[in-house]
Amino acid sequence: MYAADATRDLWRREREDRGPAEEQRFLRAQHDDLHLSEVGDPVRHFLGAPAPEFADPVTGTTPLLGCSCGHWSCRPLLTIITTTPETITWSSFRQPFRKKWGELAMGLYVFARPAYETALAEPVHLTADPLRTLETE
């Protein structure tokens, strides 16, 4: 949802107007998860030490979300993950194939490291997509 809000006006400049309902569907569906089989070690990945195929040594970014088409590298949401003994910070969100957009207007997200590492070690498994639930209500 945050990525949708941050990219709405940017996409409007590039896409023809198809009405608010289609726009909302597009914005909410622009990203999908990263599959664990691709990521390898999710703990290392989300601590800012991704597998080489995910790392961007030039920008120092790590993908948080992949593209909804199923190929993570098509339209990922990238961020810089900075770690300290106390915190994990996500900053400088970008779309790599939309360089003219620059840094997206979202974040700085700072997490307490112990809680963040616990969430990575013991993820909550949802039975349904909460955004799809909101759409049907």
Side-chain angles (χ1 to χ4, degrees), residues 24-32 67-69 75 132:
Q24 279 302 103
R25 277 192 295 281
F26 170 80
L27 289 170
R28 287 185 177 167
Q30 68 181 309
H31 296 294
D32 203 352
C67 182
S68 61
C69 76
R75 187 173 41 200
R132 289 210 172 95

Side-chain angles (χ1 to χ4, degrees), residues 49 83 103-104 131:
T83 62
E103 188 173 327
L104 298 175
L131 289 179

Side-chain angles (χ1 to χ4, degrees), residues 15-114:
R15 295 173 47 91
E16 67 180 57
D17 184 15
R18 297 182 187 163
E22 197 284 352
E23 177 183 87
Q24 279 302 103
R25 277 192 295 281
F26 170 80
L27 289 170
R28 287 185 177 167
Q30 68 181 309
H31 296 294
D32 203 352
D33 58 353
L34 297 172
H35 300 283
L36 292 180
S37 61
E38 294 175 324
V39 172
D41 182 349
V43 174
R44 285 182 42 92
H45 182 92
F46 290 104
L47 286 173
E53 59 271 21
F54 285 94
D56 184 339
V58 175
T59 63
T61 56
T62 299
L64 288 182
L65 296 171
C67 182
S68 61
C69 76
H71 298 280
W72 77 267
S73 61
C74 177
R75 187 173 41 200
L77 177 65
L78 305 177
T79 191
I80 293 175
I81 300 175
T82 307
T83 62
T84 71
E86 296 83 27
T87 62
I88 308 295
T89 303
W90 295 354
S91 63
S92 190
F93 293 85
R94 300 184 177 279
Q95 295 281 347
F97 302 112
R98 296 290 190 278
K99 293 188 188 321
K100 63 184 176 190
W101 288 5
E103 188 173 327
L104 298 175
M106 59 185 289
L108 183 74
Y109 298 103
V110 181
F111 308 95
R113 187 167 185 153

